[in-house]
Amino acid sequence: MNAPEIPTADRPDAPFYQPLGNEQALFEQAWRHGMPVLIKGPTGCGKTRFVQHMAHRLNLPLYTVACHDDLSAADLVGRHLIGAQGTWWQDGPLTRAVREGGICYLDEVVEARQDTAVVLHPLADDRRELFIERTGEALQAPPGFMLVVSYNPGYQNLLKGMKPSTRQRFVAMRFDYPPAAEEERIVANEAQVDAALAAQVVRLGQALRRLEQHDLEEVASTRLLIFTARMIRSGMTPRQACLACLAEPLSDDPQTVAALMDVVDVHFG
Ligand SMILES: Nc1ncnc2c1ncn2[C@@H]1O[C@H](COP(=O)(O)OP(=O)(O)O)[C@@H](O)[C@H]1O
Ligand SMILES: [Mg+2]
């Protein structure tokens, strides 16, 4: 396969992405080599934003699919629909990405039904082929096409892990919440707040993440810190913003919420 040319440098409208390591170079090289990429990381840590950013940088159409436990191969590939003129074929997002040589991004891929593996496997290895069973069409993916999948290893249970035969087809990258300096830049940019407020919100976020005695299912995400900063910017008191955007989203247990608010009061008291 010929390595595709990278069409343009950063386009001015690429969504803001704060790099945290070599992830951009790794993704770009994977794309050039026609390799699929797997991104694992907790919710709200920047996986989707990263893929959006890279699609812009590489000037590729992006088809994003939020996977759920009812998502089947037909949802990805396409199906026959019945209209006034009779039946017609409608491409699914995966087929469209293959035809256009773009990125198909399957978010929370471990949720999808097992029959999706049948269409993903031949696309994710050297064959780079999509076979559309219903129409008998076999598509060879053009050089630009890239399959990207993500999942949250925290949600994983034994039944839902990705099969080794699937995951061994991917270049894998681990994402996590950013270090404080980078997270401050992200919060300042995304919430349009000054550096001092961003730093304060991030310090609180990092303190909340260190609280291990509470059995929270998840820790405060970068997304929630951005929400909090936005609410403060628009005039809510820090305490109101932290309750609505951090403590309540993280727990249903009133005692845990109160304990989280104690930490808030230390930072914004
Ligand atoms: N590295 C980053 N650069 C820019 N924005 C980021 C970054 N990480 C997180 N964000 C912000 O956090 C929000 C949530 O990230 P998202 O990509 O939706 O998370 P995920 O897909 O991992 O659940 C994004 O909308 C963006 O505002
Ligand atoms: Mg996402």
Side-chain angles (χ1 to χ4, degrees):
M1 197 189 95
N2 295 325
E5 288 302 310
I6 294 171
T8 50
D10 259 330
R11 289 196 287 159
D13 58 344
F16 167 73
Y17 179 74
Q18 169 66 50
L20 302 174
N22 70 343
E23 68 272 29
Q24 291 169 307
L26 193 63
F27 188 99
E28 209 167 283
Q29 290 306 322
W31 175 72
R32 291 180 67 85
H33 290 296
M35 296 166 169
V37 163
L38 180 164
I39 305 171
K40 45 185 160 178
T43 181
C45 75
K47 301 183 295 295
T48 296
R49 176 59 66 90
F50 173 65
V51 176
Q52 290 168 336
H53 177 81
M54 293 308 296
H56 271 263
R57 264 175 86 110
L58 299 171
N59 204 7
L60 300 169
L62 172 63
Y63 291 92
T64 299
V65 182
C67 299
H68 52 80
D69 56 10
D70 214 23
L71 187 102
S72 65
D75 293 321
L76 296 177
V77 175
R79 50 169 50 93
H80 284 109
L81 297 176
I82 301 167
Q85 319 296 326
T87 62
W88 56 288
W89 173 259
Q90 185 183 51
D91 281 346
L94 181 65
T95 305
R96 244 176 274 155
V98 170
R99 287 197 206 279
E100 294 173 21
I103 296 177
C104 183
Y105 173 42
L106 306 179
D107 202 0
E108 285 300 334
V109 68
V110 291
E111 298 291 334
R113 270 164 46 175
Q114 287 297 335
D115 70 332
T116 54
V118 176
V119 292
L120 296 180
H121 278 193
L123 260 181
D125 59 30
D126 281 348
R127 290 172 279 174
R128 288 173 62 85
E129 192 179 82
L130 177 65
F131 182 63
I132 308 176
E133 209 184 310
R134 307 276 173 89
T135 64
E137 195 178 2
L139 293 177
Q140 185 65 47
F145 171 77
M146 184 181 198
L147 179 64
V148 180
V149 304
S150 72
Y151 71 99
N152 179 348
Y155 289 150
Q156 219 186 335
N157 58 46
L158 283 175
L159 286 174
K160 273 198 179 149
M162 242 178 140
K163 280 208 216 144
S165 61
T166 305
R167 57 192 301 153
Q168 289 225 18
R169 286 156 205 267
F170 290 83
V171 174
M173 15 210 309
R174 179 185 294 273
F175 275 40
D176 208 341
Y177 301 120
E182 283 77 10
E183 195 164 45
E184 284 170 22
R185 243 173 277 146
I186 295 167
V187 171
N189 185 80
E190 294 292 303
Q192 294 292 298
V193 297
D194 61 36
L197 177 57
Q200 208 177 1
V201 170
V202 167
R203 269 197 301 277
L204 167 62
Q206 309 237 333
L208 291 174
R209 286 176 195 151
R210 282 193 299 269
L211 280 182
E212 273 167 11
Q213 65 268 41
H214 302 289
D215 39 17
L216 292 174
E217 244 178 276
E218 298 217 306
V219 299
S221 64
T222 305
R223 179 188 294 123
L224 288 182
L225 299 184
I226 293 166
F227 285 3
T228 305
R230 278 186 192 146
M231 290 293 195
I232 297 173
R233 188 198 65 192
S234 63
M236 293 191 87
T237 67
R239 202 170 196 283
Q240 289 169 332
C242 292
L243 178 64
C245 300
L246 284 169
E248 292 290 0
L250 286 174
S251 177
D252 292 329
D253 172 36
Q255 277 180 323
T256 304
V257 170
L260 294 172
M261 289 310 291
D262 288 343
V263 181
V264 168
D265 289 335
V266 169
H267 286 257
F268 281 101

